[in-house]
C-alpha cells in the first residue's frame, strides 16, 4: 500500500480539506484510496451504517474517495465535554469519559493497538491511504504519548507533507520552527512543504518560497489559494468563527438564526439550509441579537445541561422567549430538542455534574440521560404534520441518531416524524414532538435538513407566512457536495506539484 500523510504547523491550517482534496484527486485517477486519521477530536460526528460513531471530517474524505464511511477510517474519536475532559470513542463505541491527563498519560498508547489493527484492515482492502495528522507534530508536551502524528508516520514509513496556513500569519516561521523541533528521523520523513489559504499574487511570495527551500532543505510543493465557500462539512465549531460570507445574503427573504452554544455539536445539520439562495442563515452568540429571524434553530450539544445553563445565565434564554412571544417559531435538533422540554436530568452524570436542569419549557416532555448511547442511521417519514398552520408530507427521509437521552412526554402532542427503519431493521416509531400551537418542534434526527424535499417544504412554510410564493426544489444537496469535492480537487491539482508528489509517494 502507498501512503501520503498531511501534518500541520498547528490546528486548523487546512489538513482536513487538503486530505479531502487528495482523496478526490486519486479517486478521479482510478485508485482505490481511503482516508485515515488515527485520532480525531471533534464535536461534529457521524453514525455509520453499522451504528459506529466517527469524526465528520473523515466522512467528507470518504465521500470524496467514493466510499461509504466506516469506522476504521477514524478508530479513536475524542468528544470534549468540558473541564479538560472528553468522551472517548473507540472503534465507534463510547468507552467512558477521561480527563486529558488520564487519556494522554494512561490510555492513548493502549489505544494505539486498536489503531494498528484498523490500519491492517485498511491495508487489506485499498491501494492508497491519505492520512491526516492532528494539531502539530511539534507539541513537545504531548509527543511521548501521541498516536496521530509522527508515531503513525514512522509506523508506516509514510512520507509527510507539512502544511501551514499563511492567512493567519507567521507561516514561514511556523514551518521552520516545526521542523527545528522535530527529531532527525521525523524531519527526514517530511518530504515537502505546502502553503495553504494564500490570497494575492503568488509571484510576490516567490522570494519567501526560495528562502524556505534553502533554509529547510525541503521543497515547497505548492501554494494553495484561499477557497471561500467550500461547500464541504466543517470539522468542528472553531470553524464557525472563521466562516466568511462570500455572497451577501442579508437581503434573502428568509432569515434563520442558529443559537451557538459553547458545546455546540453537529452544526453541519444546518449547512444545507445555508446553501439555499432565499435563506440567510446566521449564528448567534452571547451578546448578539437574534434579530428579525423567521425561524430559530437550537442545535445539538455534547453537554446539554451545561449549554442549557449557559442559555439561562447569558440572557439568551430570555431573548429566545421574547422572540417566540413575538411569533418566531423554534426547531430543536437532538440536544436542542431536549432543551425545549421541561426538564433534563443526568442521574448517572454521563455529561456533567448536574443532577437536573430546568428546560425552556416549550414542549411537554422530560429527558433523562441513560448510560448507553443510541447511535443508528434511520429512515423516516413525516405524514401531514402541521407546523405554523401548514402541513408537510415526505415519505423518504434519511438521517442518523446520536444521543444518550431518553425522552418521555408529559402530555399527548403531535409527533412530526415516524421512523420506519433503524439500523437496517424495519420499525414504526413515533419521533419528535410539536406543541399544540404548532410553532415549536424538536426531534433527535440529525441530517434531516439534508433531505431536499423536506428542507424546501419547511422553507416554503416560512415563505408563506411572509406572503411569498413557494419555490420548487432547486438544490440537490448531495450533488452540490460532489461538485464541491470536484472543485476543491481541481484547485489543488492546479496549484500543487502533482508530479513531485507522485515521486514522493513512490
Amino acid at each position: 500500500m502507498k501512503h501520503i500523510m498531511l501534518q500541520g504547523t498547528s490546528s486548523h491550517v487546512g489538513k482536513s480539506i487538503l486530505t479531502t482534496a487528495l482523496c478526490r484527486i486519486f479517486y478521479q485517477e482510478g485508485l482505490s484510496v481511503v482516508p485515515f486519521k488515527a485520532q480525531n477530536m471533534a464535536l461534529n460526528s457521524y453514525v455509520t451504517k453499522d451504528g459506529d460513531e466517527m469524526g465528520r471530517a473523515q466522512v467528507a474524505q470518504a465521500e470524496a474517495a467514493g466510499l461509504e464511511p466506516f469506522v476504521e477510517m477514524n478508530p479513536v474519536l475524542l468528544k470534549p465535554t468540558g473541564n479538560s475532559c472528553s468522551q472517548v470513542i473507540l472503534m465507534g463505541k463510547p468507552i467512558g469519559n477521561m480527563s486529558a491527563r488520564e487519556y494522554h498519560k494512561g490510555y492513548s498508547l493502549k489505544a494505539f493497538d486498536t489503531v494498528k489493527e484498523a490500519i491492517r484492515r485498511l491495508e487489506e482492502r485499498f491501494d492508497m491511504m491519505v492520512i491526516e495528522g492532528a494539531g502539530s507534530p511539534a507539541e513537545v508536551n504531548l509527543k511521548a504519548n501521541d498516536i496521530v502524528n509522527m508515531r503513525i508516520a514512522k509506523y508506516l514509513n509514510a512520507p509527510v507533507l507539512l502544511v501551514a496556513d499563511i492567512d493567519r500569519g507567521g507561516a514561514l516561521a511556523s514551518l521552520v520552527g516545526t521542523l527545528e523541533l522535530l527529531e532527525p528521523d521525523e524531519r527526514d520523513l517530511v518530504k515537502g512543504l505546502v502553503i495553504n489559504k494564500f490570497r494575492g499574487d503568488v509571484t510576490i511570495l516567490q522570494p519567501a518560497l526560495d528562502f524556505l527551500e534553502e533554509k529547510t532543505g525541503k521543497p515547497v510543493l505548492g501554494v494553495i489559494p484561499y477557497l471561500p465557500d467550500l461547500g464541504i462539512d466543517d470539522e468542528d465549531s472553531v470553524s464557525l468563527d472563521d466562516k466568511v460570507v462570500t455572497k451577501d445574503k442579508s437581503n434573502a427573504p428568509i432569515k434563520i438564526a442558529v443559537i451557538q452554544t459553547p458545546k455546540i455539536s453537529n452544526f453541519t445539520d444546518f449547512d444545507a439550509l445555508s446553501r439555499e439562495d432565499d435563506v440567510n442563515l446566521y449564528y448567534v452568540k452571547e451578546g448578539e441579537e437574534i434579530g428579525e429571524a423567521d425561524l430559530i434553530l437550537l442545535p445539538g450539544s455534547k453537554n446539554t445541561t451545561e449549554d442549557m445553563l449557559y442559555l439561562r445565565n447569558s440572557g439568551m434564554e430570555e431573548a429566545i422567549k421574547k422572540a417566540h412571544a413575538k411569533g418566531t417559531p423554534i426547531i430543536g435538533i437532538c440536544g436542542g430538542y431536549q432543551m425545549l422540554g421541561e426538564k433534563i436530568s443526568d442521574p448517572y452524570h454521563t455529561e456533567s455534574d448536574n443532577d437536573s436542569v430546568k428546560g425552556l419549557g416549550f414542549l411537554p416532555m422530560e429527558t433523562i440521560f441513560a448510560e448507553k448511547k443510541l447511535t443508528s442511521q434511520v429512515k423516516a417519514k413525516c405524514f401531514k404534520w402541521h407546523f405554523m398552520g401548514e402541513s408537510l408530507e415526505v415519505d423518504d427521509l434519511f438521517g442518523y441518531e446520536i444521543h444518550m437521552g431518553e425522552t418521555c412526554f408529559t402530555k399527548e402532542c403531535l409527533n412530526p416524524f415516524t421512523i420506519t427503519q433503524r439500523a437496517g431493521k424495519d420499525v414504526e416509531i413515533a419521533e419528535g414532538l410539536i406543541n399544540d400551537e404548532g410553532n415549536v418542534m424538536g426531534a433527535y434526527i440529525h441530517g434531516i435538513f439534508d433531505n431536499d424535499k423536506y428542507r424546501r417544504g419547511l422553507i416554503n412554510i416560512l415563505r408563506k407566512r411572509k406572503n411569498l410564493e413557494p419555490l420548487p426544489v432547486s438544490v440537490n444537496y448531495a450533488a452540490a457536495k460532489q461538485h464541491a469535492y470536484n472543485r476543491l480537487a481541481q484547485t489543488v491539482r492546479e496549484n500543487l506539484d502533482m508530479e513531485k508528489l507522485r515521486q514522493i509517494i513512490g
Side-chain angles (χ1 to χ4, degrees):
M1 176 185 249
K2 302 293 185 184
H3 309 89
I4 186 66
M5 185 171 193
L6 291 97
Q7 297 186 23
T9 58
S10 70
S11 297
H12 209 53
V13 299
K15 298 185 297 291
S16 295
I17 290 299
L18 291 178
T19 301
T20 304
L22 292 183
C23 282
R24 176 52 63 122
I25 288 170
F26 294 133
Y27 170 66
Q28 289 173 333
E29 294 178 355
L31 292 175
S32 172
V33 57
V34 64
F36 180 75
K37 187 169 185 176
Q39 172 193 294
N40 204 345
M41 177 174 279
L43 288 177
N44 277 351
S45 60
Y46 176 83
V47 174
T48 70
K49 280 187 174 179
D50 295 327
D52 297 321
E53 195 173 356
M54 62 182 286
R56 191 86 198 188
Q58 281 62 63
V59 174
Q61 292 159 5
E63 291 175 346
L67 299 172
E68 178 75 27
F70 55 93
V71 75
E72 281 83 359
M73 299 173 182
N74 174 213
V76 182
L77 174 63
L78 306 178
K79 302 186 75 173
T81 60
N83 299 320
S84 299
C85 185
S86 293
Q87 183 184 57
V88 180
I89 314 287
L90 189 67
M91 290 302 291
K93 306 300 182 188
I95 62 170
N97 292 352
M98 296 185 192
S99 69
R101 174 173 290 276
E102 287 173 327
Y103 179 78
H104 288 292
K105 297 294 185 182
Y107 188 78
S108 63
L109 293 183
K110 296 178 183 177
F112 191 59
D113 289 335
T114 301
V115 170
K116 290 187 288 186
E117 176 60 21
I119 289 172
R120 185 191 64 77
R121 294 178 191 173
L122 295 178
E123 288 181 328
E124 290 176 349
R125 294 179 55 186
F126 298 94
D127 302 324
M128 164 74 75
M129 183 186 295
V130 184
I131 310 163
E132 181 187 345
S136 163
E139 293 172 359
V140 294
N141 57 313
L142 300 177
K143 279 184 67 172
N145 300 292
D146 170 66
I147 63 169
V148 66
N149 287 310
M150 282 300 175
R151 191 179 299 273
I152 291 291
K154 288 193 281 190
Y155 177 72
L156 292 171
N157 195 31
V160 173
L161 303 184
L162 186 60
V163 183
D165 175 3
I166 199 169
D167 192 49
R168 66 172 58 180
L172 272 66
S174 61
L175 285 166
V176 173
T178 299
L179 288 168
E180 286 294 320
L181 289 171
L182 295 179
E183 297 297 326
D185 61 335
E186 297 169 337
R187 196 156 47 242
D188 287 344
L189 286 170
V190 178
K191 303 300 183 182
L193 310 177
V194 178
I195 303 289
N196 196 26
K197 304 182 189 178
F198 179 71
R199 309 175 193 238
D201 184 349
V202 73
T203 61
I204 298 175
L205 187 64
Q206 191 59 48
L209 305 182
D210 295 339
F211 165 82
L212 268 178
E213 293 190 338
E214 182 179 349
K215 180 71 175 178
T216 65
K218 308 291 183 182
V220 177
L221 261 63
V223 178
I224 310 301
Y226 184 90
L227 281 174
D229 194 26
L230 278 169
I232 295 171
D233 288 345
D234 291 311
E235 183 173 27
D236 214 343
S237 56
V238 65
S239 58
L240 287 177
D241 297 327
D242 295 336
K243 279 187 180 292
V244 176
V245 178
T246 57
K247 181 169 63 174
D248 182 12
K249 301 185 75 175
S250 59
N251 292 325
I254 304 303
K255 295 172 173 49
I256 299 178
V258 182
I259 304 301
Q260 184 177 343
T261 55
K263 297 300 176 186
I264 184 173
S265 68
N266 289 74
F267 62 85
T268 49
D269 283 340
F270 313 125
D271 283 357
L273 286 165
S274 70
R275 310 301 296 178
E276 298 284 353
D277 287 339
D278 59 338
V279 172
N280 176 20
L281 184 137
Y282 56 96
Y283 288 78
V284 181
K285 297 185 290 187
E286 180 181 0
E288 298 176 345
E289 298 292 329
I290 292 175
E292 298 299 319
D294 298 298
L295 174 66
I296 294 173
L297 294 174
L298 279 174
S301 169
K302 188 62 193 75
N303 195 322
T304 310
T305 57
E306 288 292 332
D307 273 351
M308 183 64 240
L309 291 173
Y310 164 81
L311 294 182
R312 183 156 296 140
N313 296 332
S314 67
M316 294 188 76
E317 177 184 28
E318 183 180 359
I320 293 168
K321 288 186 173 181
K322 283 183 178 178
H324 179 62
K326 293 179 182 178
T328 307
I330 303 172
I331 294 178
I333 301 295
C334 200
Y337 170 39
Q338 295 167 347
M339 293 181 212
L340 293 172
E342 297 164 350
K343 187 168 71 170
I344 309 162
S345 300
D346 191 0
Y348 303 104
H349 296 162
T350 57
E351 285 193 352
S352 73
D353 294 331
N354 301 307
D355 293 323
S356 66
V357 170
K358 182 182 176 183
L360 291 165
F362 288 124
L363 294 177
M365 64 183 216
E366 296 181 358
T367 298
I368 300 176
F369 284 118
E371 291 184 285
K372 186 176 180 181
K373 181 185 290 192
L374 173 63
T375 56
S376 57
Q377 289 191 2
V378 297
K379 293 182 179 179
K381 62 182 179 181
C382 58
F383 184 70
K384 294 183 179 178
W385 63 262
H386 297 275
F387 189 66
M388 303 306 296
E390 301 295 326
S391 62
L392 182 61
E393 183 174 353
V394 184
D395 61 4
D396 56 351
L397 299 170
F398 59 85
Y400 57 97
E401 302 169 294
I402 313 173
H403 62 92
M404 301 182 81
E406 295 180 358
T407 295
C408 59
F409 308 136
T410 55
K411 60 174 281 191
E412 278 196 25
C413 283
L414 182 66
N415 305 112
F417 304 106
T418 300
I419 294 176
T420 57
Q421 190 178 95
R422 175 181 278 163
K425 296 180 180 179
D426 292 336
V427 296
E428 189 167 342
I429 301 171
E431 165 59 21
L433 200 63
I434 299 179
N435 66 346
D436 290 337
E437 295 77 18
N439 57 15
V440 178
M441 180 181 75
Y444 277 119
I445 305 175
H446 291 285
I448 195 72
F449 299 115
D450 291 1
N451 294 269
D452 299 330
K453 287 189 288 186
Y454 173 77
R455 181 179 66 253
R456 176 42 59 185
L458 175 63
I459 295 169
N460 282 340
I461 288 174
L462 299 176
R463 290 180 64 89
K464 187 169 183 180
R465 290 189 75 209
K466 305 184 79 169
N467 297 316
L468 298 170
E469 289 294 319
L471 297 177
V473 173
S474 61
V475 175
N476 181 325
Y477 187 56
K481 286 205 290 184
Q482 293 300 318
H483 174 75
Y485 296 138
N486 290 337
R487 171 188 172 231
L488 171 66
Q490 185 61 27
T491 301
V492 171
R493 187 185 285 110
E494 291 171 352
N495 292 278
L496 199 65
D497 188 336
M498 294 303 299
E499 183 178 350
K500 181 67 175 177
L501 178 62
R502 290 186 180 91
Q503 291 173 4
I504 288 171
I505 294 171

